[in-house]
């Protein structure tokens, strides 16, 4: 039985200027699962991900229609402050971008802007989120050192910890392992698998092997359209559409 939807996307179209990037997207993202948005480069995966937390608002000359429902709210047509919407969705970028401050400061930053200033509270939360992302043992003796001193893989986990510290409901990850070595990449994948008990996770990737390892649910895109979607086992073992079959066989990437 397919789990209930956390996000429902209906009739979503997005143009940048005269170019249509997303074409009548209808999809459902299940709660407390890892949904992988899969497809070749340039097919609209990242644009779809950015639509989920309104980062597409930063694009120039954009026209968007359709709905993206989270709970009972259409986040594309809402009076809710966009900042509040984005806080519900922690974003993990392709490359990690730690803030130009200490390891401790990176985690504490989001807590402070949320109004938390007591040192004991901050200390406890920094330790908690570093443990959640399996960084604590690696950095506990150098919390005052700049985050830039960490390896790229550690920086990616630090950025994830920073995102989790603002207590989101959803984690959005755009090619989160593409800049990492194989060991760090596997660590991120294992971390997502652990975190789905508490969060709904959406991962963009064009790496078929990675999708097979982590996905519970798959949305396959090609040239701005959703070609096929469904539970991962069914998607990979019994694809219905010819384009999906060709992609899984490696006919194009």
């Amino acid at each position: 039985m397919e789990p209930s939807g956390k996000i429902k996307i209906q009739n979503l179209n997005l143009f940048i200027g005269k170019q249509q990037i997303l074409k009548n997207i209808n999809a459902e993202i299940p709660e407390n699962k890892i949904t992988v948005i899969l497809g070749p480069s340039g097919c609209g995966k990242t644009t779809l991900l950015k639509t989920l937390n309104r980062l597409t608002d930063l694009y120039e000359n954009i026209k968007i229609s359709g709905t993206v429902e989270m709970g009972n709210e259409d986040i594309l047509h809402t009076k809710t402050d966009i900042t509040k919407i984005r806080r519900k969705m922690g974003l993990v970028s392709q490359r990690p971008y730690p803030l130009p401050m200490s390891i401790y400061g990176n985690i504490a930053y989001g807590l402070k802007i949320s109004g938390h200033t007591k040192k004991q509270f901050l200390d406890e939360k920094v330790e908690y989120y570093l443990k959640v992302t399996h960084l604590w043992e690696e950095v506990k003796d150098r919390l005052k050192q700049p985050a830039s001193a960490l390896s790229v893989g550690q920086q990616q986990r630090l950025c994830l910890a920073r995102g989790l510290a603002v207590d989101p409901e959803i984690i959005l990850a755009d090619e989160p392992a593409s800049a990492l070595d194989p060991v760090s990449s596997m660590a991120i994948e294992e971390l997502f698998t652990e975190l789905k008990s508490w969060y709904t996770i959406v991962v963009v990737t064009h790496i078929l092997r990675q999708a097979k390892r982590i996905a519970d649910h798959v949305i396959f895109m090609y040239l701005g359209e959703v070609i096929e979607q469904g539970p991962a086992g069914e998607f990979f073992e019994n694809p219905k559409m010819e384009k999906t079959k060709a992609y899984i066989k490696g006919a194009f990437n």
Side-chain angles (χ1 to χ4, degrees):
M1 183 177 173
E2 187 72 342
S4 62
K6 180 71 173 178
I7 301 174
K8 295 180 181 179
I9 304 164
Q10 293 183 301
N11 305 318
L12 180 65
N13 290 278
L14 186 145
F15 290 80
I16 298 177
K18 294 182 180 179
Q19 184 180 8
Q20 187 168 8
I21 309 298
L22 300 178
K23 302 172 184 176
N24 202 39
I25 303 292
N26 289 278
E28 193 161 316
I29 293 169
E31 190 167 15
N32 293 114
K33 300 290 181 183
I34 298 176
T35 294
V36 168
I37 304 176
L38 181 65
S41 296
C43 69
K45 303 185 301 294
T46 294
T47 302
L48 178 57
L49 190 79
K50 288 180 176 179
T51 304
L52 300 182
N53 71 345
R54 297 276 301 266
L55 277 178
T56 45
D57 289 19
L58 303 176
Y59 293 176
E60 291 184 9
N61 201 17
I62 184 173
K63 182 182 177 183
I64 191 165
S65 63
T67 61
V68 176
E69 293 181 7
M70 183 177 167
N72 296 317
E73 184 176 32
D74 173 12
I75 64 169
L76 295 184
H77 307 92
T78 180
K79 294 179 181 178
T80 302
D81 182 57
I82 294 174
T83 305
K84 289 183 179 178
I85 292 171
R86 289 178 182 154
R87 277 187 189 163
K88 291 182 178 181
M89 306 189 194
L91 183 65
V92 182
S93 303
Q94 212 166 2
R95 297 192 66 84
Y97 293 102
L99 299 171
M101 55 182 70
S102 69
I103 295 166
Y104 180 100
N106 265 265
I107 311 296
Y109 178 80
L111 296 166
K112 287 179 178 177
I113 61 174
S114 297
H116 300 289
T117 56
K118 290 186 178 179
K119 187 177 185 303
Q120 183 181 349
F121 177 88
L122 294 175
D123 288 350
E124 288 173 357
K125 289 297 184 181
V126 167
E127 180 175 346
Y128 173 77
Y129 287 109
L130 287 174
K131 283 180 174 176
V132 166
T133 52
H134 303 308
L135 260 178
W136 177 250
E137 292 300 324
E138 298 170 38
V139 304
K140 64 182 180 181
D141 297 323
R142 48 183 179 136
L143 294 176
K144 293 182 179 179
Q145 290 184 9
S148 57
L150 297 174
S151 70
V152 175
Q154 289 173 324
Q155 286 181 25
Q156 189 67 298
R157 283 183 285 149
L158 180 69
C159 290
L160 177 57
R162 187 181 72 208
L164 296 180
V166 297
D167 199 25
E169 297 175 24
I170 297 164
I171 299 170
L172 306 176
D174 185 11
E175 302 275 8
S178 64
L180 306 183
D181 61 85
V183 173
S184 298
S185 177
M186 195 63 69
I188 288 289
E189 290 179 14
E190 289 173 358
L191 195 49
F192 284 160
T193 302
E194 292 175 23
L195 290 173
K196 70 181 180 183
S197 297
W198 297 279
Y199 305 93
T200 297
I201 301 175
V202 186
V203 179
V204 161
T205 186
H206 66 278
I207 303 170
L208 199 57
R209 296 186 308 278
Q210 184 178 69
K212 287 180 178 178
R213 286 194 296 266
I214 67 172
D216 299 305
H217 187 84
V218 179
I219 297 171
F220 172 57
M221 294 185 67
Y222 184 72
L223 297 178
E225 297 181 89
V226 171
I227 304 300
E228 188 166 344
Q229 59 188 304
E234 187 179 310
F235 177 89
F236 289 116
E237 292 165 23
N238 188 30
K240 298 176 179 63
M241 307 301 290
E242 290 304 316
K243 270 198 179 73
T244 311
K245 293 175 185 177
Y247 184 76
I248 290 172
K249 289 177 181 177
F252 58 94
N253 53 42

